[in-house]
Amino acid sequence: MATHAAGHHADHHDDHDHKPQGFMNRWVFTTNHKDIGTLYLVFAFIMFCIGGAMSGVIRAELMTPGLQFVEPYFFNQMTTLHALVMIFGGVMPAFVGLGNWMIPLQIGAPDMALPRMNNWSFWIMPFAFTVLLLTLFLPGGAPAGGWTLYPPLSLQGGSSVAFAIFAIHMMGISSIMGAINIIATILNMRAPGMTLHKMPLFVWTWLITAFLLIAVMPVLAGAITMLLTDKFFGTSFFNAAGGGDPVMFQHIFWFFGHPEVYIMILPAFGVVSEIIPTFARKPLFGYQAMVYATASIAFLSFIVWAHHMFTVGMPLGGELFFMYATMLIAVPTGVKVFNWVSTMWKGSMTFETPMLWAVGFVILFTIGGFSGLMLAIVPADFQYHDTYFVVAHFHYVLVTGALFSIIAAVYFWWPKWTGKMYSEKWGKFHFWWTIVFVNLLFFPQHFLGLAGMPRRIPDYNVAFADWNLISSLGAFGMLLTPIFMFLILWHSKKHGATATAQVWEGAHGLEWTVPSPAPHHTFTEPPVIRAQDLAHGDPTH
Amino acid sequence: MSAANRVWQKKGWLIAGGFFAFGFALIPLYNIACEHVLGIKLEQGAVDADAAAAMTVDESRLVTVQFVANTKSTLPWAFSAEKVSMQVHPGQLSEAWFDATNTSARDIVGNAVPSVAPNSASLYFNKTECFCFTEQMLKAGETKRMPVRFIVDPRLPKDISTLTLAYTFLENDIATKKLAESNQAAAPAS
């Protein structure tokens, strides 16, 4: 049963929900955290589909040796845009959407701290990606130098360079605004009694992620500004002929780039830390350890960037430093994996769809973590660098890591958002189908990389043919999964069974004290928090 | 509540603005780290002639210096070292010659970027004269012979017996453009 205070709100809002009427007022001018969260999630879904279609082009071309379907230059545009769309258009907005929806509900706040900035930070995104994707239709095509934009290659494109840089600037501004909003919300808007050490892990991981965002997105903005002035205004930041240094770009880029990969995985840790206790029916094992592990990962992310560029010719001392610092990250990450497993240990586990995705996350993300450790070893990295092993590694952490957690979160909180249950049968089908095909897709890429197949190439030695075919078959299976998910959720919205307020038997946390679907306005008066309502009420667990 | 939110908004933008500036500050910071922490010499200017003369020649030791000549693919120059390698005594002033030919039909200004490997030896490799100190202009079809005079510091660590001096010629787009403009301006007068 809900708390007294939450129940009171439910009664109040069931009668008159104060939703703005009309499409423009409801969605375009909205300042409501739930509506903006929905917009972000819908946007991310569309971007996942576009980025997925691009990966379809890539895997179709790589299915057999030789050039079949596309020109190499177009292939390079596909790899570049696939990465930019998936990272900045898919994973990051999806997590911002989840944060928008859930953070105010989880800390008992009526809305985000800066609602109008919230509207702005979302509505920049469609424009940014329109600009980016329109480069496909420019003379000279889209950027094709890889998402890392290394000069001088990235500067050899035509006008697409300016368009892409402008688009990335806009994405960066959007992310910074979203992050500032999340920081202000979490630090200022918590309900009385919701102390920092009682906050759900999802809120904690987002707080730390938001600080990473406002620290590194501006560094990316600086790096691409330098690219812009190098190309169009005659500066020589990275131009060797003018006394600049192209390797300098890699240092600056990865100073952003490594924290960026944690920006994409820390909220995933938060999601999984909410789901596993719910379905293991036990409090999270080692709550405080989880918080401090997250903070340590965030700190370490700033001092490991050069492991992306071991082969540029760094001094031995530098390589050793970055190798050991990188391996150090395995310690807090190991703490987290240990704690998830310990939470499940002797729990009364059930395997509803969100739990399946969360357990899948723990296992497959750990595989991605281990291949990361292999890449951290300097002498080994000289062999693995820029091979498919790297591709396999970061797809395990980003697809079976970040994306799995996003899907888990959608199934977990969907009944709270819509008031409708989805079909467990088809949700499980979605999961098992994905597990089979995602591993067919990415696991063989480890073998290809170890055998020496370079990344970012449209054609390859026939020796690599078999595993590439299997990988492509996996990709074609994966291309169906967004359709499954769309149909499952659409069916649930139209015909799903009515969800209760608590939804899941083992669910704890303020978001489960409001009715399902969550009313348009919640916690307009701060809730009275009782210990049993909190997911992590007793932090000594 | 909303005043406190505005404070956090301000702080957030200040942090973001600070890190934007920090991105640019990384360039001098990396240079400082290279020179003072990692011991890589980035300053490629000429060493003082007096300092060079003051070095004593270590007759007991021979170091192999290898020469590598590259051009960026977009620069239509043929560029090579006359000798692939030579043996020198540390402290001894030596000379090596490089040849560059402009194979295109236009005048081009190029800059040579030097690099010394292994990078731990860069501190001990001194040039008293080098074509890489200035821009080089080659008229269409012109060939130029260019010297490098250098001294290997006798303090070079004992475990290093081979050094590689590599040059990469890159087109100096801005200077080449200016040259083309001044050629054009001069053409009607003649």
Side-chain angles (χ1 to χ4, degrees):
Chain A
M1 185 51 212
T3 62
H4 171 73
H8 168 78
H9 285 290
D11 297 343
H12 177 72
H13 283 294
D14 277 349
D15 296 329
H16 37 98
D17 219 6
H18 302 304
K19 277 197 187 85
Q21 297 304 305
F23 181 82
M24 292 295 279
N25 283 332
R26 174 75 197 273
W27 298 108
V28 181
F29 300 135
T30 182
T31 54
N32 179 284
H33 74 100
K34 300 183 183 79
D35 286 350
I36 293 175
T38 305
L39 285 171
Y40 264 113
L41 289 166
V42 170
F43 177 78
F45 183 79
I46 295 168
M47 286 295 136
F48 277 129
C49 292
I50 294 174
M54 290 173 177
S55 69
V57 174
I58 295 168
R59 281 316 321 171
E61 181 56 54
L62 291 174
M63 188 163 59
T64 49
L67 293 175
Q68 279 76 233
F69 302 107
V70 293
E71 294 286 313
Y73 190 67
F74 184 73
F75 181 91
N76 292 343
Q77 296 175 28
M78 287 292 104
T79 54
T80 305
L81 285 182
H82 165 74
L84 288 171
V85 166
M86 288 303 203
I87 293 168
F88 293 105
V91 175
M92 289 169 67
F95 279 126
V96 179
L98 291 171
N100 254 297
W101 248 107
M102 300 320 299
I103 288 171
L105 282 178
Q106 289 187 320
I107 63 175
D111 204 309
M112 297 295 279
L114 307 156
R116 280 190 289 181
M117 193 162 86
N118 205 10
N119 172 292
W120 200 22
S121 59
F122 171 74
W123 278 107
I124 286 178
M125 296 294 283
F127 292 97
F129 278 89
T130 306
V131 169
L132 182 67
L133 293 173
L134 276 179
T135 59
L136 278 168
F137 305 102
L138 282 179
W147 83 279
T148 50
L149 302 168
Y150 284 1
L153 182 62
S154 67
L155 298 182
Q156 288 168 13
S159 42
S160 69
V161 176
F163 278 80
I165 287 174
F166 183 53
I168 296 172
H169 268 139
M170 287 204 282
M171 296 166 205
I173 290 170
S174 162
S175 300
I176 291 167
M177 290 197 296
I180 290 173
N181 215 338
I182 284 170
I183 292 172
T185 306
I186 296 174
L187 294 181
N188 262 346
M189 308 271 288
R190 295 191 313 279
M194 177 62 77
T195 59
L196 283 176
H197 272 124
K198 287 181 179 169
M199 292 197 309
L201 246 286
F202 180 67
V203 179
W204 253 117
T205 53
W206 241 122
L207 178 65
I208 292 165
T209 304
F211 274 105
L212 286 182
L213 273 169
I214 58 170
V216 302
M217 290 309 288
V219 175
L220 173 69
I224 60 175
T225 304
M226 290 182 236
L227 281 183
L228 192 75
T229 59
D230 266 13
K231 180 157 173 83
F232 296 103
F233 303 105
T235 58
S236 291
F237 287 106
F238 312 123
N239 178 6
D245 184 353
V247 174
M248 184 72 75
F249 177 83
Q250 299 187 27
H251 278 294
I252 301 174
F253 180 86
W254 288 112
F255 185 87
F256 144 80
H258 200 77
E260 167 69 13
V261 305
Y262 292 108
I263 286 166
M264 291 190 282
I265 204 66
L266 293 185
F269 291 167
V271 166
V272 170
S273 303
E274 299 304 318
I275 293 175
I276 289 181
T278 302
F279 296 98
R281 294 170 180 75
K282 272 176 65 191
L284 184 71
F285 183 88
Y287 171 85
Q288 282 182 322
M290 288 299 229
V291 171
Y292 291 117
T294 310
S296 337
I297 292 172
F299 168 74
L300 288 171
S301 75
F302 282 102
I303 54 165
V304 297
W305 73 89
H307 66 213
H308 296 269
M309 39 188 289
F310 277 146
T311 57
V312 295
M314 260 184 290
L316 184 65
E319 301 205 313
L320 289 176
F321 171 80
F322 287 110
M323 174 169 90
Y324 290 127
T326 304
M327 293 178 143
L328 208 53
I329 295 180
V331 177
T333 313
V335 167
K336 297 190 89 76
V337 174
F338 180 87
N339 286 358
W340 290 322
V341 174
S342 302
T343 305
M344 289 187 266
W345 177 253
K346 291 193 173 174
S348 323
M349 292 214 287
T350 51
F351 294 93
E352 285 88 344
T353 306
M355 182 63 162
L356 286 176
W357 289 97
V359 175
F361 167 96
V362 173
I363 296 167
L364 296 177
F365 172 79
T366 305
I367 292 178
F370 279 137
S371 58
L373 272 178
M374 290 170 72
L375 288 163
I377 301 166
V378 174
D381 184 73
F382 274 64
Q383 167 74 15
Y384 305 153
H385 186 87
D386 258 345
T387 67
Y388 257 83
F389 192 81
V390 179
V391 178
H393 158 69
F394 66 68
H395 281 97
Y396 263 88
V397 289
L398 286 177
V399 178
T400 62
L403 182 60
F404 267 37
S405 83
I406 291 166
I407 297 172
V410 170
Y411 280 119
F412 185 54
W413 283 311
W414 176 264
K416 178 55 61 190
W417 300 339
T418 62
K420 299 285 175 61
M421 300 304 289
Y422 56 87
S423 157
E424 276 298 341
K425 186 176 109 188
W426 287 101
K428 285 176 180 169
F429 172 80
H430 178 200
F431 171 76
W432 287 111
W433 178 280
T434 306
I435 276 290
V436 170
F437 284 97
V438 83
N439 284 299
L440 270 183
L441 168 54
F442 294 122
F443 210 82
Q445 295 182 358
H446 291 114
F447 311 143
L448 288 169
L450 293 178
M453 177 167 161
R455 58 189 284 211
R456 291 174 170 152
I457 48 149
D459 187 10
Y460 50 84
N461 191 305
V462 287
F464 305 129
D466 295 350
W467 288 122
N468 267 300
L469 178 63
I470 291 174
S471 179
S472 288
L473 292 177
F476 301 146
M478 280 297 284
L479 285 179
L480 297 176
T481 56
I483 301 170
F484 295 156
M485 189 166 175
F486 179 81
L487 292 177
I488 291 165
L489 296 181
W490 184 262
H491 181 267
S492 157
K493 185 93 180 80
K494 293 288 166 210
H495 309 290
T498 307
T500 62
Q502 201 191 3
V503 182
W504 312 108
E505 187 193 36
H508 294 283
L510 284 185
E511 75 263 41
W512 308 111
T513 65
V514 301
S516 303
H520 199 60
H521 297 284
T522 38
F523 301 128
T524 44
E525 286 164 42
V528 176
I529 297 175
R530 301 176 309 175
Q532 65 266 38
D533 295 328
L534 293 176
H536 313 283
D538 182 1
T540 53
H541 279 298
Chain B
M1 230 8 158
S2 91
N5 289 342
R6 273 198 298 277
V7 169
W8 268 106
Q9 183 175 9
K10 213 189 229 168
K11 281 185 194 166
W13 283 114
L14 278 176
I15 296 173
F19 272 96
F20 184 72
F22 177 72
F24 287 86
L26 279 173
I27 290 182
L29 286 175
Y30 279 126
N31 288 341
I32 292 167
C34 263
E35 301 219 331
H36 299 285
V37 183
L38 300 168
I40 301 170
K41 188 162 74 174
L42 297 171
E43 186 50 59
Q44 296 293 349
V47 290
D48 189 41
D50 296 338
M55 287 182 194
T56 50
V57 180
D58 183 354
E59 300 268 357
S60 64
R61 190 174 168 200
L62 274 175
V63 177
T64 307
V65 181
Q66 301 176 324
F67 303 103
V68 175
N70 295 312
T71 53
K72 191 181 170 184
S73 57
T74 50
L75 178 69
W77 285 12
F79 174 50
S80 59
E82 293 189 357
K83 277 190 197 162
V84 174
S85 73
M86 58 196 285
Q87 292 211 309
V88 299
H89 293 296
Q92 172 194 352
L93 185 66
S94 315
E95 189 177 70
W97 288 86
F98 287 77
D99 302 309
T101 306
N102 183 348
T103 58
S104 76
R106 60 192 176 98
D107 303 350
I108 296 176
V109 181
N111 280 60
V113 177
S115 158
V116 175
N119 53 33
S120 53
S122 61
L123 271 181
Y124 308 97
F125 191 85
N126 305 296
K127 294 186 272 286
T128 59
E129 194 184 327
C130 178
F131 57 90
C132 59
F133 295 156
T134 54
E135 295 173 351
Q136 299 294 329
M137 197 274 282
L138 290 186
K139 292 193 183 308
E142 185 188 353
T143 299
K144 218 183 209 177
R145 233 181 135 227
M146 301 172 296
V148 183
R149 294 196 181 81
F150 61 89
I151 302 178
V152 178
D153 194 313
R155 288 171 296 177
L156 179 76
K158 294 284 177 233
D159 58 325
I160 300 175
S161 58
T162 306
L163 293 178
T164 306
L165 174 62
Y167 287 105
T168 305
F169 252 112
L170 302 114
E171 180 167 347
N172 186 327
D173 299 307
I174 296 164
T176 304
K177 208 171 149 194
K178 271 188 196 149
L179 183 70
E181 279 163 9
S182 68
N183 283 354
Q184 254 181 356
S190 61

